[in-house]
Coordinates of all heavy atoms in Angstrom, one line a residue:
M1 N 0.8 -1.2 0.0 CA 0.0 0.0 0.0 C 0.9 1.3 0.0 O 0.4 2.3 -0.4 CB -0.9 0.0 1.2 CG -2.1 -1.0 1.1 SD -3.1 -0.9 -0.3 CE -2.9 -2.5 -1.0
L2 N 2.1 1.1 0.4 CA 3.0 2.3 0.5 C 3.2 2.9 -0.9 O 3.3 4.1 -1.1 CB 4.3 1.9 1.1 CG 5.2 3.1 1.5 CD1 4.7 3.7 2.8 CD2 6.7 2.5 1.8
F3 N 3.3 2.0 -1.8 CA 3.5 2.4 -3.2 C 2.3 3.3 -3.7 O 2.5 4.3 -4.4 CB 3.6 1.2 -4.1 CG 3.8 1.6 -5.6 CD1 5.1 2.1 -6.0 CD2 2.8 1.4 -6.5 CE1 5.3 2.4 -7.4 CE2 3.0 1.7 -7.8 CZ 4.2 2.2 -8.3
K4 N 1.1 2.9 -3.3 CA -0.1 3.6 -3.7 C 0.0 5.1 -3.1 O -0.4 6.0 -3.8 CB -1.3 2.9 -3.2 CG -2.2 2.4 -4.3 CD -3.5 1.9 -3.8 CE -4.5 1.5 -4.9 NZ -5.7 0.9 -4.4
I5 N 0.3 5.2 -1.9 CA 0.5 6.5 -1.2 C 1.5 7.3 -1.9 O 1.3 8.5 -2.1 CB 0.7 6.3 0.3 CG1 -0.5 5.6 1.0 CG2 1.0 7.6 1.0 CD1 -0.1 5.0 2.3
L6 N 2.6 6.7 -2.2 CA 3.7 7.4 -2.8 C 3.3 7.9 -4.2 O 3.6 9.1 -4.6 CB 4.9 6.4 -3.0 CG 6.3 7.1 -3.1 CD1 6.7 7.6 -1.7 CD2 7.3 6.1 -3.6
L7 N 2.5 7.1 -4.9 CA 2.1 7.4 -6.3 C 1.1 8.6 -6.2 O 1.1 9.5 -7.0 CB 1.4 6.2 -6.9 CG 1.1 6.3 -8.4 CD1 2.4 6.1 -9.2 CD2 0.1 5.3 -8.8
L8 N 0.2 8.5 -5.2 CA -0.8 9.6 -5.0 C -0.1 10.9 -4.7 O -0.5 11.9 -5.2 CB -1.7 9.2 -3.8 CG -3.0 10.0 -3.7 CD1 -4.0 9.7 -4.8 CD2 -3.6 9.8 -2.3
A9 N 0.9 10.8 -3.8 CA 1.7 12.0 -3.4 C 2.4 12.6 -4.7 O 2.4 13.8 -4.9 CB 2.7 11.6 -2.4
L10 N 2.9 11.7 -5.5 CA 3.5 12.1 -6.7 C 2.6 12.8 -7.7 O 2.9 13.8 -8.3 CB 4.1 10.9 -7.4 CG 5.3 11.1 -8.3 CD1 6.6 11.5 -7.5 CD2 5.6 10.0 -9.2
V11 N 1.4 12.2 -7.8 CA 0.4 12.8 -8.7 C -0.1 14.2 -8.2 O -0.2 15.1 -8.9 CB -0.9 11.8 -8.8 CG1 -2.1 12.5 -9.4 CG2 -0.5 10.6 -9.6
I12 N -0.3 14.3 -6.9 CA -0.7 15.5 -6.3 C 0.4 16.6 -6.5 O 0.1 17.7 -6.9 CB -1.1 15.4 -4.8 CG1 -2.4 14.6 -4.6 CG2 -1.2 16.7 -4.1 CD1 -2.7 14.0 -3.3
G13 N 1.6 16.2 -6.2 CA 2.7 17.0 -6.4 C 2.9 17.5 -7.8 O 3.2 18.6 -8.1
G14 N 2.6 16.5 -8.7 CA 2.7 16.8 -10.2 C 1.7 17.8 -10.6 O 1.9 18.7 -11.4
V15 N 0.5 17.6 -10.1 CA -0.7 18.5 -10.4 C -0.4 19.9 -9.9 O -0.6 20.9 -10.5 CB -2.0 17.9 -9.9 CG1 -3.1 19.0 -9.9 CG2 -2.4 16.7 -10.7
Y16 N 0.1 19.9 -8.7 CA 0.4 21.2 -8.0 C 1.5 21.9 -8.8 O 1.4 23.1 -9.1 CB 0.9 20.9 -6.6 CG 0.9 22.1 -5.6 CD1 -0.4 22.5 -5.1 CD2 2.0 22.7 -5.2 CE1 -0.4 23.6 -4.2 CE2 2.0 23.8 -4.3 CZ 0.7 24.2 -3.9 OH 0.7 25.2 -3.0
Y17 N 2.5 21.2 -9.1 CA 3.6 21.8 -9.9 C 3.1 22.3 -11.3 O 3.5 23.4 -11.7 CB 4.7 20.8 -10.1 CG 6.0 21.2 -10.7 CD1 6.8 22.1 -10.1 CD2 6.3 20.9 -12.0 CE1 8.0 22.5 -10.6 CE2 7.4 21.3 -12.7 CZ 8.3 22.2 -12.0 OH 9.4 22.6 -12.6
F18 N 2.2 21.5 -11.9 CA 1.7 21.8 -13.2 C 0.9 23.1 -13.1 O 1.0 24.0 -14.0 CB 0.8 20.6 -13.6 CG 0.3 20.8 -15.0 CD1 1.0 20.6 -16.2 CD2 -1.1 21.2 -15.2 CE1 0.5 20.8 -17.4 CE2 -1.6 21.3 -16.5 CZ -0.8 21.1 -17.6
F19 N 0.1 23.3 -12.1 CA -0.7 24.5 -12.0 C 0.1 25.7 -11.7 O -0.2 26.7 -12.2 CB -1.8 24.3 -10.8 CG -3.1 23.7 -11.4 CD1 -3.3 22.3 -11.3 CD2 -4.0 24.5 -12.0 CE1 -4.5 21.8 -11.7 CE2 -5.2 24.0 -12.5 CZ -5.4 22.6 -12.4
I20 N 1.2 25.5 -10.9 CA 2.0 26.7 -10.7 C 2.8 27.1 -11.9 O 2.9 28.2 -12.3 CB 3.0 26.3 -9.5 CG1 2.3 26.4 -8.2 CG2 4.2 27.3 -9.5 CD1 3.1 25.8 -7.0
K21 N 3.2 26.1 -12.7 CA 3.9 26.4 -13.9 C 3.0 26.9 -15.0 O 3.4 27.7 -15.8 CB 4.6 25.1 -14.4 CG 5.9 24.8 -13.9 CD 6.8 24.1 -14.9 CE 7.9 24.9 -15.4 NZ 8.7 24.3 -16.3
K22 N 1.7 26.6 -14.9 CA 0.8 27.0 -15.9 C 0.3 28.4 -15.6 O -0.5 29.0 -16.3 CB -0.4 26.1 -16.0 CG -0.2 25.0 -17.0 CD -1.5 24.7 -17.7 CE -1.4 24.9 -19.2 NZ -2.7 24.7 -19.9
K23 N 0.7 29.0 -14.4 CA 0.2 30.3 -14.0 C 1.3 31.3 -14.1 O 1.9 31.7 -13.1 CB -0.3 30.2 -12.6 CG -1.8 30.4 -12.5 CD -2.3 30.6 -11.1 CE -3.7 31.0 -11.0 NZ -4.1 31.2 -9.6
P24 N 1.7 31.7 -15.3 CA 2.8 32.6 -15.4 C 2.3 34.0 -15.1 O 1.1 34.3 -15.0 CB 3.2 32.5 -16.9 CG 2.1 31.9 -17.6 CD 1.2 31.3 -16.6
L25 N 3.2 34.9 -14.8 CA 2.9 36.3 -14.4 C 2.3 37.0 -15.6 O 2.7 36.8 -16.7 CB 4.1 37.0 -14.0 CG 4.8 36.5 -12.6 CD1 6.1 37.0 -12.5 CD2 3.9 37.0 -11.5
P26 N 1.2 37.7 -15.4 CA 0.6 38.4 -16.5 C 1.5 39.4 -17.2 O 1.3 39.6 -18.4 CB -0.6 39.2 -15.8 CG -0.8 38.5 -14.5 CD 0.6 37.9 -14.1
K27 N 2.5 39.9 -16.5 CA 3.4 40.8 -17.2 C 4.2 40.1 -18.3 O 4.6 40.8 -19.2 CB 4.4 41.4 -16.1 CG 3.8 42.5 -15.4 CD 4.8 43.0 -14.3 CE 4.2 44.1 -13.4 NZ 5.1 44.5 -12.4
E28 N 4.4 38.8 -18.1 CA 5.2 38.1 -19.1 C 4.4 37.7 -20.3 O 4.9 37.6 -21.4 CB 5.8 36.9 -18.4 CG 7.0 37.3 -17.5 CD 7.5 36.1 -16.7 OE1 6.9 35.0 -16.8 OE2 8.5 36.2 -16.0
T29 N 3.1 37.4 -20.0 CA 2.3 36.9 -21.1 C 1.6 38.0 -21.9 O 1.5 37.9 -23.2 CB 1.3 35.9 -20.6 OG1 0.6 36.5 -19.6 CG2 1.9 34.6 -20.2
E30 N 1.2 39.0 -21.2 CA 0.5 40.1 -21.9 C 1.3 41.3 -22.2 O 1.8 42.0 -21.3 CB -0.8 40.5 -21.1 CG -1.9 39.5 -21.2 CD -3.1 40.0 -20.5 OE1 -3.5 41.2 -20.5 OE2 -3.8 39.1 -19.9
T31 N 1.6 41.5 -23.4 CA 2.3 42.6 -23.9 C 1.4 43.8 -24.3 O 0.5 43.5 -25.1 CB 3.3 42.3 -25.1 OG1 4.0 41.1 -24.7 CG2 4.2 43.4 -25.4
M32 N 1.6 44.9 -23.7 CA 0.7 46.0 -24.0 C 1.2 46.7 -25.2 O 2.4 47.0 -25.4 CB 0.6 47.0 -22.8 CG 0.1 46.3 -21.6 SD -1.5 45.6 -21.7 CE -2.6 47.1 -21.6
V33 N 0.3 47.0 -26.1 CA 0.6 47.7 -27.3 C -0.2 48.9 -27.5 O -1.4 48.9 -27.0 CB 0.5 46.8 -28.6 CG1 1.7 45.8 -28.6 CG2 -0.8 46.1 -28.6
E34 N 0.2 49.9 -28.1 CA -0.5 51.1 -28.3 C -1.3 51.1 -29.6 O -0.8 50.7 -30.7 CB 0.5 52.3 -28.3 CG -0.2 53.6 -28.1 CD 0.8 54.8 -28.0 OE1 2.0 54.5 -28.1 OE2 0.3 55.9 -27.9
C35 N -2.6 51.5 -29.5 CA -3.5 51.6 -30.6 C -2.9 52.6 -31.6 O -2.6 53.7 -31.2 CB -4.9 51.9 -30.2 SG -6.0 52.2 -31.6
D36 N -2.8 52.2 -32.8 CA -2.2 53.1 -33.8 C -3.0 54.3 -34.1 O -2.6 55.3 -34.5 CB -2.0 52.3 -35.1 CG -1.0 53.0 -36.1 OD1 0.1 53.2 -35.7 OD2 -1.5 53.5 -37.1
K37 N -4.3 54.2 -33.8 CA -5.2 55.4 -34.1 C -5.4 56.3 -32.9 O -5.2 57.5 -33.0 CB -6.5 54.8 -34.6 CG -7.4 55.9 -35.2 CD -8.4 55.3 -36.2 CE -9.1 56.4 -36.9 NZ -10.1 55.9 -37.9
C38 N -5.9 55.7 -31.8 CA -6.3 56.6 -30.6 C -5.3 56.5 -29.5 O -5.4 57.3 -28.6 CB -7.7 56.2 -30.1 SG -7.7 54.6 -29.3
G39 N -4.3 55.7 -29.6 CA -3.2 55.6 -28.5 C -3.6 54.9 -27.3 O -2.9 54.9 -26.3
T40 N -4.7 54.2 -27.3 CA -5.1 53.4 -26.1 C -4.2 52.2 -26.0 O -4.0 51.5 -27.0 CB -6.6 53.0 -26.2 OG1 -7.4 54.2 -26.3 CG2 -7.0 52.2 -25.0
Y41 N -3.8 51.9 -24.8 CA -3.0 50.7 -24.6 C -3.9 49.5 -24.5 O -4.9 49.4 -23.7 CB -2.1 50.8 -23.4 CG -0.9 51.6 -23.8 CD1 -0.8 53.0 -23.6 CD2 0.3 51.0 -24.3 CE1 0.3 53.7 -23.9 CE2 1.4 51.6 -24.6 CZ 1.4 53.0 -24.4 OH 2.5 53.8 -24.8
V42 N -3.6 48.4 -25.2 CA -4.4 47.2 -25.2 C -3.4 46.0 -25.3 O -2.3 46.1 -25.9 CB -5.4 47.2 -26.4 CG1 -4.7 47.2 -27.8 CG2 -6.3 46.1 -26.3
S43 N -3.8 44.9 -24.6 CA -2.9 43.8 -24.7 C -3.0 43.1 -26.0 O -3.9 43.2 -26.8 CB -3.4 42.7 -23.6 OG -4.5 42.1 -24.0
T44 N -1.8 42.5 -26.4 CA -1.7 41.8 -27.7 C -2.8 40.8 -27.9 O -3.2 40.5 -29.1 CB -0.4 41.3 -27.9 OG1 0.0 40.4 -26.8 CG2 0.7 42.3 -28.1
K45 N -3.3 40.3 -26.8 CA -4.3 39.2 -26.9 C -5.7 39.8 -27.4 O -6.4 39.2 -28.1 CB -4.6 38.6 -25.6 CG -3.6 37.5 -25.2 CD -3.9 36.9 -23.9 CE -2.9 35.8 -23.5 NZ -3.1 35.3 -22.2
E46 N -5.9 41.0 -27.0 CA -7.2 41.7 -27.3 C -7.1 42.6 -28.5 O -8.1 43.0 -29.1 CB -7.7 42.5 -26.1 CG -8.2 41.5 -25.0 CD -8.4 42.3 -23.7 OE1 -9.1 43.3 -23.7 OE2 -7.9 41.9 -22.6
A47 N -5.9 42.9 -28.8 CA -5.7 43.9 -29.9 C -6.0 43.3 -31.3 O -6.0 42.1 -31.5 CB -4.2 44.3 -29.9
I48 N -6.5 44.2 -32.1 CA -6.8 43.8 -33.5 C -5.6 44.2 -34.4 O -5.2 45.3 -34.4 CB -8.1 44.5 -34.0 CG1 -9.3 43.9 -33.2 CG2 -8.3 44.2 -35.5 CD1 -10.5 44.9 -33.1
I49 N -5.1 43.2 -35.1 CA -3.9 43.5 -35.9 C -4.4 43.6 -37.4 O -5.0 42.7 -37.9 CB -2.9 42.4 -35.7 CG1 -2.4 42.2 -34.3 CG2 -1.6 42.6 -36.6 CD1 -1.8 40.8 -34.0
K50 N -4.0 44.7 -37.9 CA -4.3 45.0 -39.3 C -3.2 45.7 -40.0 O -2.7 46.7 -39.5 CB -5.6 45.9 -39.3 CG -6.2 46.0 -40.7 CD -7.2 47.1 -40.8 CE -7.6 47.4 -42.3 NZ -8.3 48.7 -42.4
D51 N -2.7 45.1 -41.1 CA -1.6 45.6 -41.8 C -0.3 45.8 -40.9 O 0.4 46.8 -41.0 CB -1.9 47.0 -42.5 CG -3.1 46.8 -43.4 OD1 -3.2 45.8 -44.1 OD2 -3.9 47.8 -43.5
G52 N -0.2 44.9 -40.0 CA 1.0 44.9 -39.1 C 0.9 45.9 -38.0 O 1.9 46.1 -37.3
K53 N -0.2 46.5 -37.8 CA -0.4 47.5 -36.8 C -1.5 47.1 -35.8 O -2.4 46.4 -36.2 CB -0.8 48.9 -37.4 CG 0.4 49.6 -38.0 CD -0.1 50.8 -38.8 CE 1.1 51.5 -39.5 NZ 0.6 52.6 -40.3
Y54 N -1.3 47.5 -34.6 CA -2.3 47.2 -33.5 C -3.3 48.2 -33.3 O -3.1 49.4 -33.3 CB -1.5 47.0 -32.2 CG -0.6 45.7 -32.2 CD1 0.8 45.9 -32.4 CD2 -1.1 44.5 -32.0 CE1 1.6 44.8 -32.3 CE2 -0.3 43.3 -32.0 CZ 1.1 43.5 -32.2 OH 1.9 42.4 -32.2
Y55 N -4.5 47.7 -33.1 CA -5.6 48.6 -32.9 C -6.4 48.1 -31.7 O -6.5 46.9 -31.4 CB -6.6 48.7 -34.1 CG -5.9 49.3 -35.3 CD1 -5.3 48.5 -36.3 CD2 -5.8 50.7 -35.5 CE1 -4.7 49.0 -37.4 CE2 -5.2 51.2 -36.6 CZ -4.6 50.4 -37.5 OH -4.0 50.9 -38.6
C56 N -7.1 49.0 -30.9 CA -7.8 48.7 -29.7 C -9.1 48.1 -30.0 O -9.7 47.3 -29.2 CB -7.8 49.8 -28.8 SG -8.9 51.2 -29.4
S57 N -9.7 48.6 -31.1 CA -11.1 48.1 -31.4 C -11.3 48.0 -33.0 O -10.4 48.5 -33.7 CB -12.1 49.1 -30.8 OG -11.9 50.4 -31.4
K58 N -12.4 47.5 -33.3 CA -12.7 47.3 -34.8 C -12.9 48.7 -35.4 O -12.5 48.9 -36.6 CB -14.0 46.6 -34.9 CG -13.7 45.1 -34.8 CD -15.0 44.3 -35.0 CE -14.8 42.8 -34.8 NZ -16.1 42.0 -34.9
E59 N -13.4 49.6 -34.6 CA -13.6 51.0 -35.1 C -12.3 51.6 -35.5 O -12.1 52.3 -36.5 CB -14.3 51.8 -34.0 CG -15.8 51.6 -33.9 CD -16.1 50.3 -33.1 OE1 -15.2 49.8 -32.4 OE2 -17.3 49.8 -33.2
C60 N -11.3 51.5 -34.6 CA -10.0 52.1 -34.8 C -9.3 51.3 -36.0 O -8.5 52.0 -36.7 CB -9.1 52.0 -33.6 SG -9.5 53.3 -32.4
A61 N -9.5 50.0 -36.1 CA -8.9 49.3 -37.2 C -9.5 49.6 -38.5 O -9.0 49.2 -39.6 CB -9.0 47.8 -36.9
G62 N -10.7 50.2 -38.5 CA -11.4 50.5 -39.7 C -12.2 49.4 -40.3 O -12.5 49.4 -41.4
V63 N -12.4 48.5 -39.4 CA -13.2 47.3 -39.8 C -14.7 47.7 -39.6 O -15.1 47.9 -38.5 CB -12.8 46.0 -39.0 CG1 -13.7 44.8 -39.5 CG2 -11.4 45.7 -39.2
K64 N -15.4 47.6 -40.6 CA -16.9 47.9 -40.5 C -17.7 46.7 -40.4 O -17.7 45.8 -41.3 CB -17.3 48.8 -41.6 CG -16.9 50.2 -41.4 CD -17.1 51.1 -42.7 CE -16.5 52.4 -42.5 NZ -16.6 53.2 -43.8
G65 N -18.4 46.5 -39.3 CA -19.2 45.3 -39.0 C -20.6 45.6 -39.4 O -21.4 44.8 -39.5
Ligands
LIG1 ZN1 -8.0 52.8 -30.7

């Protein structure tokens, strides 16, 4: 039964380690870029990229929906 406990501890430890590793600092993952039109800072995840430039919204990007 000791092996089972050891395995369980290993799994818990692995999951714990995995979650910590999967939680990187927001500063490292999200790069803030300036909207080419209005100058608003927006993260690259949310930014709209058009012609190699970043925009904060569809309006600024000139995309008409
Ligand atoms: Zn903008």
Side-chain angles (χ1 to χ4, degrees):
M1 289 304 124
L2 192 73
F3 179 75
K4 243 186 175 179
I5 293 160
L6 206 74
L7 194 76
L8 192 75
L10 203 75
V11 167
I12 290 164
V15 167
Y16 199 73
Y17 185 74
F18 182 77
F19 270 97
I20 285 171
K21 272 211 109 180
K22 267 217 123 184
K23 249 189 169 180
L25 291 164
K27 277 180 186 176
E28 287 176 351
T29 50
E30 279 184 43
T31 309
M32 299 302 280
V33 287
E34 198 176 353
C35 173
D36 195 64
K37 193 160 189 177
C38 70
T40 301
Y41 279 92
V42 64
S43 72
T44 48
K45 277 181 184 176
E46 288 167 51
I48 293 156
I49 302 157
K50 195 193 164 195
D51 301 325
K53 285 172 182 176
Y54 291 101
Y55 297 94
C56 68
S57 61
K58 282 180 181 176
E59 283 79 17
C60 281
V63 180
K64 283 170 187 175

